[in-house]
Amino acid sequence: MRGSPVTLEPPGPEPTGLGRFGEFGGRFVPETLVPALIDLEHNFREAWASEVFRAELTELLTSYAGRPTPVTECHRLSERLGLRVLLKREDLTHTGSHKINNVLGQALLTRRMQKQRVIAETGAGQHGVATATVAALFGLDCVVFMGAVDVERQALNVFRMQSLGADVVPVTSGSATLKDAINEALRDWVATVDTTHYCIGSVVGPHPYPWMVREFQRVVGDEAREQCRAILGTDPDLVVACVGGGSNAIGTFAGFLDTSARLVGVEAGGHGLESGQHGASVSRGVPGVLHGSRSLFLQDEDGQILEAHSISAGLDYPGVGPEHAELAATGRAEYAFATDDEAVAGFQLLSVTEGIVPALEPAHAIGWLARESGRAVPAGSTVLVTLSGRGDKDVALIAERLTGERL
């Protein structure tokens, strides 16, 4: 079920004050970045209210990114789980993940602000690939910061970014993963803010990023709501999406916030929540400030940020976007987890039942659904799962885990 392109709507619900979602969000940055963030907010607010801007973005999303993405009904998986499962297929976009929606919008803003250079950070590489892609499309210089650990486990995406003309900078500080890549990107931005736009890939960071990225990803939920109503005749009982920083989940949830659907975000359970090696920032995080905003972060008793762990580089982040923290605080969304083993099982289950190889990130959502069918998810429920990306990038890692041999 694909349907017609969704008309991009004017700005949705805004955060209050300086980007607050309840007690979360805000703008906690060095003074040198404040003018750039104010300028970005002004340009985004003006552009997103413009029918001309939204029409240009709609054209790019349709003719370049391949929207609308279909919703696929999963008959064999549904029979196996005793549910009716639909997938929102963001894996079928150009570049293979939902990340392209956001970066196309930010590339248009970069041009609007007359800047010629973009920087980004990436964990699994999907946001880096999407940023490198639009940089090539718009003729922009592009630098992508990536933890050295992630460079090694996502070598395919590193090569894709370099092939697209991007300069990929390995970051060796700290745990050499996404958190440290963000630190380096922020340092670069402080020094180059007059000529550079920082293209953040998730609903994290200082205001206006969590609001802006949610709005650019809202197309996922708006499309899915209309497609589900065409297929089911109503809204699904549950809407499920994986959560790292939370961009695909917040984009999906945005389309269903005013419905009665249960919203479930699935975090990285790693080796289990009691092991201390996980990325479950909502389930085990406490309020704090990191990377420019107040949200829930994994911290020790002295407030130091703990290292996150996940088999998925895209979920290996010790915090979550501030709007997710607020949705959890108000109870509008639930946050669960799937372990590394359950994510691998989800990867295998969807592959063999539906012929769809998922990225490890949404494999967490499939793994949670398999564990909870007939329990937290009553038998016979209708469930929409956002498949945020395809699994090509993770095949070698899965093969090594299952066979002990590298491809």
Side-chain angles (χ1 to χ4, degrees):
M1 173 69 192
R2 188 179 285 266
S4 303
V6 167
T7 300
L8 297 178
E9 300 292 337
E14 295 185 24
T16 60
L18 287 178
R20 292 283 185 170
F21 298 91
E23 66 172 291
F24 304 104
R27 184 184 288 160
F28 300 87
V29 295
E31 194 171 329
T32 51
L33 293 181
V34 171
L37 289 167
I38 291 174
D39 184 54
L40 176 61
E41 179 183 357
H42 169 75
N43 275 279
F44 171 65
R45 191 179 293 278
E46 189 175 78
W48 203 226
S50 162
E51 292 185 7
V52 173
F53 179 90
R54 297 200 307 276
E56 187 173 9
L57 180 54
T58 299
E59 168 59 22
L60 284 169
L61 290 171
T62 304
S63 65
Y64 189 74
R67 304 207 73 84
T69 58
V71 161
T72 298
E73 181 150 13
C74 300
H75 298 286
R76 295 190 66 227
L77 178 64
S78 297
E79 183 177 358
R80 179 79 69 91
L81 300 182
L83 308 169
R84 188 173 180 184
V85 182
L86 308 176
L87 295 181
K88 179 58 175 167
R89 301 291 306 279
E90 294 302 292
D91 59 312
L92 296 181
T93 60
H94 179 47
T95 72
S97 83
H98 70 293
K99 296 293 187 182
I100 192 74
N101 308 319
N102 168 49
V103 296
L104 281 171
Q106 291 202 46
L108 287 175
L109 286 178
T110 303
R111 189 177 66 185
R112 189 183 183 94
M113 294 184 291
Q114 300 183 331
K115 295 186 176 183
Q116 284 297 313
R117 179 175 182 263
V118 291
I119 59 172
E121 87 300 317
T122 193
Q126 291 171 314
H127 173 59
V129 168
T131 303
T133 297
V134 299
L137 179 66
F138 282 74
L140 302 169
D141 296 329
C142 180
V143 177
V144 179
F145 296 91
M146 193 169 186
V149 171
D150 295 335
V151 167
E152 183 173 350
R153 59 180 171 176
Q154 297 294 339
L156 176 61
N157 273 341
V158 172
F159 181 74
R160 291 173 71 192
M161 286 182 268
Q162 292 170 332
S163 299
L164 290 160
D167 182 12
V168 180
V169 178
V171 176
T172 56
S173 59
S175 58
T177 57
L178 179 59
K179 170 176 67 69
D180 310 291
I182 294 175
N183 290 338
E184 286 303 314
L186 283 168
R187 290 190 186 99
D188 181 294
W189 200 32
V190 168
T192 63
V193 67
D194 290 340
T195 58
T196 299
H197 172 63
Y198 181 9
C199 187
I200 291 182
S202 195
V203 285
V204 299
H207 178 63
Y209 282 103
W211 172 44
M212 179 177 70
V213 176
R214 179 252 279 167
E215 287 295 282
F216 286 146
Q217 293 292 3
R218 184 153 58 97
V219 65
V220 178
D222 287 348
E223 281 181 7
R225 182 188 60 240
E226 300 308 313
Q227 292 163 322
C228 284
R229 288 176 179 176
I231 295 171
L232 302 172
T234 186
D235 299 313
D237 298 318
L238 282 85
V239 175
V240 182
C242 63
V243 176
S247 64
N248 93 90
I250 210 71
T252 305
F253 291 174
F256 294 90
L257 282 174
D258 60 352
T259 74
S260 60
R262 281 176 61 191
L263 308 180
V264 181
V266 181
E267 301 188 286
H271 296 312
L273 298 191
E274 303 311 317
S275 71
Q277 294 182 293
H278 56 79
S281 307
V282 178
S283 301
R284 286 293 188 272
V286 295
V289 173
L290 181 67
H291 296 146
S293 72
R294 176 178 169 82
S295 190
L296 297 174
F297 298 99
L298 301 177
Q299 301 170 65
D300 65 19
E301 57 187 17
D302 295 321
Q304 298 298 308
I305 299 297
L306 297 172
E307 292 184 8
H309 164 79
S310 173
I311 189 175
S312 166
L315 302 183
D316 195 357
Y317 183 66
V320 69
E323 192 169 5
H324 281 294
E326 173 65 2
L327 289 174
T330 61
R332 179 61 189 94
E334 308 164 33
Y335 292 85
F337 70 92
T339 65
D340 288 351
D341 288 342
E342 289 166 338
V344 172
F347 177 97
Q348 294 174 294
L349 178 62
L350 189 63
S351 299
V352 301
T353 57
E354 298 295 335
I356 298 171
V357 179
L360 269 171
E361 291 88 345
H364 283 73
I366 300 295
W368 174 83
L369 195 61
R371 187 186 75 207
E372 296 298 337
S373 60
R375 301 167 60 186
V377 183
S381 298
T382 54
V383 185
L384 172 76
V385 179
T386 297
L387 198 67
S388 58
R390 68 187 182 213
D392 310 38
K393 66 183 179 58
D394 295 318
V395 167
L397 189 153
I398 295 288
E400 183 175 6
R401 184 181 180 94
L402 295 177
T403 68
E405 298 180 1
R406 305 196 73 166
L407 294 177

